[in-house]
């Protein structure tokens, strides 16, 4: 959904939600619920976590802890990883002098605790408003109106960024412009009341709203903090080769559940190392592949090289270093294939740039045990 340029008074202030928007609170749910299920002899099913997420991740996990007396402290809860693009967005707004507030239904003390472990966050907010400081929580507009008041500005000057439907409803009821970043997969259609819906904070374009643009995009790509995964290549179902004509080395998400939960769906690129063949350029999708309507989140790398033969059993190591675009649906198989090849061309060119080329020499691509944040798993190469 394309964002309209705001009419009338320009956007000058930003109000951010916390849980699910800036912080990956979904990981709290899995960290609390999974040990409980395992302890009771049941298997963890990540799909069922969404039933708790819809309540709000922090509240759902807190409820489980209270009901079952699980041994987790508040301190453990507060060390929550930021979502992709959160640090980037906060630093950008602060460095460009854009007044920014934090407005969350969580109690003020919880907000303070959760942001305390993230350097520079507290100092970046002109105002912080907790759910215990207003009469009615979201979807009431009270919390956003109070945030605007504390920043000495009017509602029409404010841009709200929210992950939940109650938050979007609250922002619109406050008379503000709203960007929705849905935290629940495949729920984008439910956010039609928002002025713009984006896949992740990586896809926020401030210039659409009259705010200073990011200056870190390079030839249609965004450098990211590198992440690394590896595993042996095994035979797969062959959809990449048989349907798309593109043999992909798929990484089953269940083998990398922690890493996958930390990274937003979309198209990435980087370097791939094969134990007996060398290092190659690579473009990769992570997500639900809307055209095929996957029920599970998958990781599907495409090595940009014509090998001419299968290489099952070889160790495949990936260094993911850049981002191209959000996950998208396509009206036809032809348009999907065309876009995949375009992604390949973008990655092929970008990986020659120094900012990305330097990772070709990463020791991890030759020996994953040398990389501290490595992840084990199995890679699946679709048969040709």
């Amino acid at each position: 959904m394309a964002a309209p340029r705001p009419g009338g008074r320009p956007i000058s202030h930003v109000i951010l939600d916390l849980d699910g928007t800036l912080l990956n609170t979904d990981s709290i749910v899995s960290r609390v619920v999974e040990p409980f299920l395992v302890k009771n002899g049941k298997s963890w099913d990540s799909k069922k976590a969404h039933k708790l997420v819809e309540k709000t991740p922090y509240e759902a996990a807190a409820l489980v802890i209270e009901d079952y007396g699980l041994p987790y402290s508040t301190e453990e809860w507060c060390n929550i990883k930021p979502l992709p693009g959160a640090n980037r967005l906060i630093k950008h707004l602060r460095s460009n002098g854009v007044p920014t507030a934090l407005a969350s239904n969580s109690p003020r003390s919880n907000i303070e605790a959760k942001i305390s472990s993230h350097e520079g966050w507290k100092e970046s907010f002109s105002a912080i408003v907790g759910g215990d400081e207003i009469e009615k929580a979201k979807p009431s507009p009270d919390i956003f109106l109070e945030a605007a008041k504390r920043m000495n500005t009017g509602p029409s000057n404010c841009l709200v960024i929210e992950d939940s439907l109650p938050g979007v409803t609250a922002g619109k009821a406050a008379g503000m412009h709203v960007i929705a970043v849905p935290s629940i997969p495949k729920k984008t259609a439910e956010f039609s009341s928002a002025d713009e819906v984006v896949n992740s904070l990586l896809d926020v374009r401030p210039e659409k709203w009259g705010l200073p643009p990011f200056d870190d995009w390079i030839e249609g790509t965004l450098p990211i903090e590198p992440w690394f995964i590896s595993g042996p290549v095994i035979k797969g179902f062959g959809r990449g080769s048989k349907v798309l004509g593109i043999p992909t080395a798929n990484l089953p998400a269940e083998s990398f559940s922690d890493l996958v939960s930390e990274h937003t769906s979309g198209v990435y690129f980087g370097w791939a190392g094969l134990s007996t063949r060398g290092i190659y350029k690579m473009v990769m999708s992570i997500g639900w592949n809307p055209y095929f309507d996957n029920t599970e989140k998958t990781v599907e790398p495409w090595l940009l090289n014509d090998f001419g033969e299968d290489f099952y059993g070889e160790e495949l190591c990936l260094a993911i270093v850049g981002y191209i675009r959000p996950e998208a649906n396509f009206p036809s198989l032809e348009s999907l294939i065309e876009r995949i090849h375009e992604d390949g061309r973008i990655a092929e060119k970008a990986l020659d740039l120094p900012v990305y080329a330097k990772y070709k020499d990463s020791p991890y691509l030759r020996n994953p045990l040398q990389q501290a944040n490595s992840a084990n798993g199995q890679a699946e190469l679709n048969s040709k």
Side-chain angles (χ1 to χ4, degrees), residues 284-298:
M284 179 185 87
S285 72
I286 175 172
W288 288 266
N289 290 309
Y291 183 83
F292 294 104
D293 195 24
N294 286 2
T295 57
E296 295 286 348
K297 199 173 186 181
T298 61

Side-chain angles (χ1 to χ4, degrees), residues 29-354:
V29 175
S30 62
R31 195 169 71 236
V32 172
V33 179
E34 185 172 4
F36 172 77
L37 293 176
V38 171
K39 186 172 68 174
N40 287 271
K42 298 181 180 180
S43 299
W44 167 246
D45 184 352
S46 60
K47 292 184 288 185
K48 293 182 179 179
H50 297 316
K51 295 179 180 178
L52 296 175
V53 173
E54 289 175 357
K55 195 172 178 55
T56 78
Y58 191 87
E59 294 172 352
L63 183 62
V64 172
I65 281 184
E66 181 180 354
D67 285 349
Y68 298 100
L70 297 177
Y72 290 89
S73 67
T74 302
E75 288 72 22
E76 286 178 290
W77 285 60
C78 294
N79 188 20
I80 308 168
K81 291 185 178 182
L83 283 161
N87 278 319
R88 172 178 175 255
L89 177 62
I90 291 171
K91 290 178 182 178
H92 175 75
L93 294 173
R94 183 181 183 183
S95 65
N96 284 278
V98 179
T100 305
L102 191 59
S104 169
N105 272 353
S106 295
R108 176 67 179 262
S109 59
N110 283 350
I111 297 172
E112 297 275 4
K114 282 184 274 190
I115 67 175
S116 64
S117 60
H118 300 285
E119 185 178 356
W121 278 31
K122 185 174 182 179
E123 298 77 18
S124 298
F125 297 113
S126 304
I128 298 176
V129 187
D132 56 343
E133 298 181 281
I134 43 91
E135 184 176 348
K136 296 179 181 179
K138 305 169 191 176
S140 165
D142 290 7
I143 197 165
F144 290 129
L145 292 173
E146 179 63 23
K149 179 181 178 181
R150 294 186 188 184
M151 291 192 292
N152 298 311
T153 191
S156 62
N157 296 331
C158 296
L159 174 65
V160 170
I161 302 180
E162 263 280 0
D163 75 297
S164 71
L165 193 54
V168 170
T169 301
K172 294 305 296 181
M176 301 177 179
H177 302 278
V178 180
I179 296 177
V181 193
S183 59
I184 302 176
K186 301 186 178 185
K187 296 289 185 179
T188 300
E190 297 181 7
F191 290 81
S192 58
S193 61
D195 297 287
E196 181 182 16
V197 181
V198 297
N199 187 62
S200 77
L201 294 178
L202 296 176
D203 306 308
V204 172
R205 299 289 181 141
E207 65 272 19
K208 291 183 177 181
W209 303 95
L211 297 170
F214 286 109
D215 59 5
D216 49 359
W217 283 88
I218 304 173
E219 296 189 15
T221 67
L222 177 65
I224 61 172
E225 187 69 25
W227 51 292
F228 306 85
I229 51 181
S230 65
V233 176
I234 62 173
K235 188 172 183 179
F237 295 106
R239 184 176 70 189
S241 298
K242 296 175 182 177
V243 179
L244 300 174
I246 300 167
T248 55
N250 300 328
L251 301 175
E254 61 269 17
S255 298
F256 311 95
S257 57
D258 291 341
L259 272 174
V260 170
S261 69
E262 293 173 15
H263 293 86
T264 184
S265 58
V267 177
Y268 298 80
F269 63 95
W271 297 97
L274 282 168
S275 55
T276 64
R277 296 171 185 264
I279 297 174
Y280 306 91
K281 295 177 178 179
M282 174 273 301
V283 65
M284 179 185 87
S285 72
I286 175 172
W288 288 266
N289 290 309
Y291 183 83
F292 294 104
D293 195 24
N294 286 2
T295 57
E296 295 286 348
K297 199 173 186 181
T298 61
V299 179
E300 302 182 18
W302 173 29
L303 277 59
L304 301 176
N305 183 74
D306 184 8
F307 292 98
E309 60 180 348
D310 296 326
F311 40 88
Y312 303 122
E314 291 195 33
E315 185 74 8
L316 175 64
C317 304
L318 302 178
I320 299 93
V321 300
Y323 175 77
I324 296 176
R325 63 173 177 86
E327 184 175 55
N329 203 351
F330 294 87
S332 66
L333 182 63
E334 291 74 21
S335 59
L336 169 60
I337 293 172
E338 181 180 353
R339 185 60 227 240
I340 292 174
H341 282 285
E342 175 62 18
D343 294 333
R345 288 190 289 270
I346 292 172
E348 181 90 35
K349 182 178 179 182
L351 285 165
D352 289 331
L353 299 173

